[in-house]
PDB file of all heavy atoms in Angstrom:
ATOM      1  N   GLU A 252      20.007 -52.248  67.168  1.00 85.00           N
ATOM      2  CA  GLU A 252      19.159 -53.414  67.050  1.00 85.00           C
ATOM      3  C   GLU A 252      17.906 -53.278  67.907  1.00 85.00           C
ATOM      4  O   GLU A 252      16.815 -53.721  67.506  1.00 85.00           O
ATOM      5  CB  GLU A 252      19.962 -54.642  67.457  1.00 85.00           C
ATOM      6  CG  GLU A 252      21.130 -54.943  66.489  1.00 85.00           C
ATOM      7  CD  GLU A 252      21.789 -56.267  66.772  1.00 85.00           C
ATOM      8  OE1 GLU A 252      21.355 -56.962  67.713  1.00 85.00           O
ATOM      9  OE2 GLU A 252      22.728 -56.617  66.022  1.00 85.00           O
ATOM     10  N   ALA A 253      18.015 -52.619  69.066  1.00 84.00           N
ATOM     11  CA  ALA A 253      16.829 -52.421  69.905  1.00 84.00           C
ATOM     12  C   ALA A 253      15.850 -51.488  69.207  1.00 84.00           C
ATOM     13  O   ALA A 253      14.643 -51.670  69.271  1.00 84.00           O
ATOM     14  CB  ALA A 253      17.240 -51.864  71.262  1.00 84.00           C
ATOM     15  N   ALA A 254      16.388 -50.460  68.541  1.00 81.00           N
ATOM     16  CA  ALA A 254      15.549 -49.523  67.813  1.00 81.00           C
ATOM     17  C   ALA A 254      14.843 -50.203  66.650  1.00 81.00           C
ATOM     18  O   ALA A 254      13.674 -49.916  66.362  1.00 81.00           O
ATOM     19  CB  ALA A 254      16.394 -48.355  67.314  1.00 81.00           C
ATOM     20  N   LYS A 255      15.549 -51.124  65.958  1.00 83.00           N
ATOM     21  CA  LYS A 255      14.956 -51.867  64.868  1.00 83.00           C
ATOM     22  C   LYS A 255      13.817 -52.747  65.381  1.00 83.00           C
ATOM     23  O   LYS A 255      12.739 -52.808  64.784  1.00 83.00           O
ATOM     24  CB  LYS A 255      16.005 -52.741  64.187  1.00 83.00           C
ATOM     25  CG  LYS A 255      17.005 -51.966  63.354  1.00 83.00           C
ATOM     26  CD  LYS A 255      18.011 -52.908  62.722  1.00 83.00           C
ATOM     27  CE  LYS A 255      19.031 -52.148  61.864  1.00 83.00           C
ATOM     28  NZ  LYS A 255      20.042 -53.078  61.281  1.00 83.00           N
ATOM     29  N   ARG A 256      14.023 -53.432  66.514  1.00 83.00           N
ATOM     30  CA  ARG A 256      12.999 -54.293  67.065  1.00 83.00           C
ATOM     31  C   ARG A 256      11.786 -53.503  67.484  1.00 83.00           C
ATOM     32  O   ARG A 256      10.638 -53.901  67.282  1.00 83.00           O
ATOM     33  CB  ARG A 256      13.558 -55.069  68.282  1.00 83.00           C
ATOM     34  CG  ARG A 256      14.502 -56.202  67.891  1.00 83.00           C
ATOM     35  CD  ARG A 256      14.732 -57.126  69.079  1.00 83.00           C
ATOM     36  NE  ARG A 256      15.404 -56.443  70.181  1.00 83.00           N
ATOM     37  CZ  ARG A 256      16.709 -56.380  70.342  1.00 83.00           C
ATOM     38  NH1 ARG A 256      17.523 -56.961  69.433  1.00 83.00           N
ATOM     39  NH2 ARG A 256      17.265 -55.748  71.359  1.00 83.00           N
ATOM     40  N   GLU A 257      12.025 -52.307  68.058  1.00 79.00           N
ATOM     41  CA  GLU A 257      10.910 -51.473  68.481  1.00 79.00           C
ATOM     42  C   GLU A 257      10.101 -50.987  67.285  1.00 79.00           C
ATOM     43  O   GLU A 257       8.870 -50.950  67.344  1.00 79.00           O
ATOM     44  CB  GLU A 257      11.426 -50.280  69.278  1.00 79.00           C
ATOM     45  CG  GLU A 257      10.335 -49.400  69.853  1.00 79.00           C
ATOM     46  CD  GLU A 257      10.868 -48.290  70.719  1.00 79.00           C
ATOM     47  OE1 GLU A 257      12.084 -48.286  71.014  1.00 79.00           O
ATOM     48  OE2 GLU A 257      10.094 -47.384  71.082  1.00 79.00           O
ATOM     49  N   ARG A 258      10.783 -50.640  66.197  1.00 77.00           N
ATOM     50  CA  ARG A 258      10.084 -50.176  65.011  1.00 77.00           C
ATOM     51  C   ARG A 258       9.273 -51.284  64.374  1.00 77.00           C
ATOM     52  O   ARG A 258       8.180 -51.072  63.856  1.00 77.00           O
ATOM     53  CB  ARG A 258      11.080 -49.607  64.003  1.00 77.00           C
ATOM     54  CG  ARG A 258      10.461 -49.297  62.645  1.00 77.00           C
ATOM     55  CD  ARG A 258      11.346 -48.431  61.808  1.00 77.00           C
ATOM     56  NE  ARG A 258      11.345 -47.079  62.330  1.00 77.00           N
ATOM     57  CZ  ARG A 258      11.909 -46.054  61.715  1.00 77.00           C
ATOM     58  NH1 ARG A 258      12.499 -46.211  60.562  1.00 77.00           N
ATOM     59  NH2 ARG A 258      11.891 -44.846  62.240  1.00 77.00           N
ATOM     60  N   GLU A 259       9.790 -52.533  64.418  1.00 79.00           N
ATOM     61  CA  GLU A 259       9.123 -53.668  63.825  1.00 79.00           C
ATOM     62  C   GLU A 259       8.046 -54.256  64.736  1.00 79.00           C
ATOM     63  O   GLU A 259       7.364 -55.209  64.381  1.00 79.00           O
ATOM     64  CB  GLU A 259      10.148 -54.741  63.481  1.00 79.00           C
ATOM     65  CG  GLU A 259      11.117 -54.310  62.367  1.00 79.00           C
ATOM     66  CD  GLU A 259      12.287 -55.252  62.210  1.00 79.00           C
ATOM     67  OE1 GLU A 259      12.306 -56.262  62.944  1.00 79.00           O
ATOM     68  OE2 GLU A 259      13.143 -54.991  61.354  1.00 79.00           O
ATOM     69  N   GLY A 260       7.942 -53.700  65.957  1.00 71.00           N
ATOM     70  CA  GLY A 260       6.894 -54.165  66.874  1.00 71.00           C
ATOM     71  C   GLY A 260       7.278 -55.378  67.664  1.00 71.00           C
ATOM     72  O   GLY A 260       6.447 -55.975  68.346  1.00 71.00           O
ATOM     73  N   ALA A 261       8.557 -55.788  67.577  1.00 54.00           N
ATOM     74  CA  ALA A 261       9.009 -56.961  68.347  1.00 54.00           C
ATOM     75  C   ALA A 261       9.340 -56.552  69.751  1.00 54.00           C
ATOM     76  O   ALA A 261       9.731 -55.412  70.021  1.00 54.00           O
ATOM     77  CB  ALA A 261      10.246 -57.581  67.664  1.00 54.00           C
ATOM     78  N   PRO A 262       9.195 -57.469  70.735  1.00 53.00           N
ATOM     79  CA  PRO A 262       9.548 -57.122  72.110  1.00 53.00           C
ATOM     80  C   PRO A 262      11.015 -56.823  72.250  1.00 53.00           C
ATOM     81  O   PRO A 262      11.869 -57.538  71.686  1.00 53.00           O
ATOM     82  CB  PRO A 262       9.143 -58.378  72.906  1.00 53.00           C
ATOM     83  CG  PRO A 262       9.138 -59.471  71.885  1.00 53.00           C
ATOM     84  CD  PRO A 262       8.704 -58.840  70.603  1.00 53.00           C
ATOM     85  N   ALA A 263      11.337 -55.771  72.955  1.00 48.00           N
ATOM     86  CA  ALA A 263      12.736 -55.365  73.128  1.00 48.00           C
ATOM     87  C   ALA A 263      13.436 -56.335  74.072  1.00 48.00           C
ATOM     88  O   ALA A 263      12.893 -56.737  75.096  1.00 48.00           O
ATOM     89  CB  ALA A 263      12.835 -53.943  73.666  1.00 48.00           C
TER      90      ALA A 263
END
Side-chain angles (χ1 to χ4, degrees):
E252 295 189 359
K255 288 180 180 178
R256 286 194 296 270
E257 184 176 350
R258 171 164 288 188
E259 294 170 1

